Amino acid sequence: MTSRTVTLLDVARAAGVSKSTVPDALQGSGRVAAATRDRVRAVAEELGYRPNSAARRLRRSSTGAIGLHLPRTATRLDYYMNLAFGAVERAQEEGFDVVLLAPTGAAGGGDSKGSPDSTGPTSLTSPASPAGRAATPSGPIASRVDGLLVIDPEVDDSAVPGLLDGGVPVVTGERYLGPTTTPTGAVICDNAASLTALLDHVAERGARHPAVLAPEGTSAWATALRATAGSWARERKVAVALRTVPFAATPGEAEETTLALLRTDPSVDAVICAPDGAAPGVLRAAATLGRPVGPGALRAAAPHARTATEPDAGARARTPLLVASCVDGTATRSAGPPVTAVDLRPAAYGRACAELLCDILAGRTTPDTVRRHAWALETRAST
């Protein structure tokens, strides 16, 4: 039936059910037997049925939109832009527009998310009415969107409790560590495992005194990285120099921190930089101090650096440095040399978050669902 649009009636006739049963089966609502629901969905897919989004919104009195709350720094980070595009793509497949809830308040605490008193909307796919912070089910959020995606929620972000209590399903990208209402669902990465993989990798390449530039803030990602640096050091009995930098540290901030670190502790032979896009600053610091980047002669140089006699300044300057990043992106791939990094697959992550929210809204999965998102270690010349 490719010459015209497939209708609900076409699906109903082919599946042998009433027309009113089809939307309930497709949306997971009503009292439809599991076998009937599966049959209707299979027939709809076979016929190529695509729901009329406008009509569907009228039937369920929905807004046809979902909200997306990102960190304050999102507009200048490659990771969050790719994530947002992935979420929009998946939402559109379900007939939803996406409204970006941009924080407008002043920052509170020491993190990059800030603590906005309200959120202002920016539609990523169509115009939308203002969607402010909601504290009750009848608040602005519930009247403007059908559900929310809250990415990397910070305990210190005062907008998050209102979003969680806004009267609509909320899916978080990473767990929310705050004490208030828990999200309806979550998509999480094993951040402890990804940093462990990086530390193991540089150790296998000969590093004996690695450093981690971990992010400040109270997100699950930042908290996990700081904790993992300490636990890895204790388990391996290896000294790890831990330094904190802003959640969205710039290359300049990473360079300044690395220069201070290497001047204070020249025995550091690997630097793992957490923030997205900041690793080139570590490379610049290495160049300033005359530290060649890459495995090179690191295995041969390490015993000399560990001798009881302090090596001279020239020997310290020549000691190679391994460099890696907790977030892959354009900056790490195009750096000189290219930087080993964890590919968090942000576009796929955004799709996964939007897919879980759509599944919850359609009744295809239950609330409290937690799904895991896979990452990959991309090894490059810097290690």
Side-chain angles (χ1 to χ4, degrees):
M1 304 181 75
T2 58
S3 60
R4 63 180 179 83
T5 301
V6 178
T7 66
L8 286 174
L9 184 58
D10 295 327
V11 177
R13 287 172 175 168
V17 298
S18 68
K19 182 179 177 181
S20 62
T21 298
V22 175
D24 286 342
L26 294 178
Q27 297 171 24
S29 58
R31 298 181 179 179
V32 180
T36 301
R37 182 179 65 246
D38 293 343
R39 183 169 74 255
V40 170
R41 289 178 176 176
V43 168
E45 183 176 354
E46 180 180 351
L47 296 180
Y49 172 72
R50 294 293 179 268
N52 182 308
S53 59
R56 183 177 65 180
R57 293 169 193 171
L58 289 175
R59 285 196 300 273
R60 69 182 185 185
S61 299
S62 78
T63 67
I66 60 177
L68 175 62
H69 180 73
L70 294 171
R72 287 167 54 88
T73 55
T75 55
R76 63 184 178 90
L77 293 181
D78 192 37
Y79 173 83
Y80 288 113
M81 290 299 94
N82 284 312
L83 186 151
F85 289 136
V88 168
E89 180 182 69
R90 183 64 186 91
Q92 287 183 321
E93 292 172 3
E94 295 276 339
F96 286 106
D97 295 327
V98 177
V99 177
L100 178 62
L101 305 178
T104 57
D111 60 75
S112 64
K113 299 292 193 299
S115 52
D117 293 324
S118 63
T119 54
T122 301
S123 176
L124 299 182
T125 55
S126 73
S129 301
R133 179 181 174 188
T136 67
S138 60
I141 287 293
S143 66
R144 299 292 184 257
V145 298
D146 296 336
L148 288 167
L149 300 176
V150 180
I151 307 302
D152 278 329
E154 291 268 7
V155 175
D156 294 338
D157 184 345
S158 65
V160 173
L163 296 174
L164 292 174
D165 291 333
V168 296
V170 178
V171 167
T172 58
E174 298 297 354
R175 297 187 188 276
Y176 176 56
L177 304 181
T180 59
T181 306
T182 57
T184 316
V187 180
I188 63 175
C189 288
D190 193 340
N191 299 306
S194 65
L195 180 55
T196 296
L198 280 176
L199 286 164
D200 285 345
H201 171 71
V202 297
E204 289 166 1
R205 294 300 187 273
R208 296 295 177 264
H209 186 16
V212 175
L213 307 188
E216 299 170 347
T218 54
S219 70
W221 178 68
T223 302
L225 294 187
R226 294 195 301 268
T228 301
S231 61
W232 187 91
R234 290 189 295 272
E235 291 170 7
R236 271 65 168 189
K237 294 181 173 55
V238 173
V240 174
L242 178 64
R243 299 290 186 274
T244 56
V245 293
F247 184 93
T250 64
E253 289 169 326
E255 180 180 9
E256 181 180 350
T257 300
T258 305
L259 283 171
L261 167 69
L262 296 179
R263 284 168 174 157
T264 302
D265 191 353
S267 65
V268 167
D269 50 14
V271 177
I272 296 173
C273 182
D276 179 19
V282 179
L283 298 178
R284 290 204 299 262
T288 298
L289 298 176
R291 300 283 297 269
V293 173
L298 183 59
R299 292 182 185 274
H304 175 67
R306 296 196 303 273
T307 58
T309 302
E310 176 68 14
D312 60 31
R316 291 198 303 268
R318 292 190 299 271
T319 303
L321 185 73
L322 304 183
V323 177
S325 173
C326 294
V327 183
D328 200 11
T330 302
T332 50
R333 291 190 293 268
S334 61
V339 175
T340 290
V342 174
D343 183 3
L344 296 172
R345 302 167 53 243
Y349 191 43
R351 282 189 61 90
C353 291
E355 181 166 302
L356 177 55
L357 181 57
C358 290
D359 286 348
I360 290 172
L361 290 171
R364 296 190 293 260
T365 193
T366 59
D368 302 322
T369 296
V370 176
R371 293 176 180 170
R372 294 188 176 274
H373 178 69
W375 50 269
L377 178 62
E378 299 292 338
T379 57
R380 302 190 177 104
S382 68
T383 60

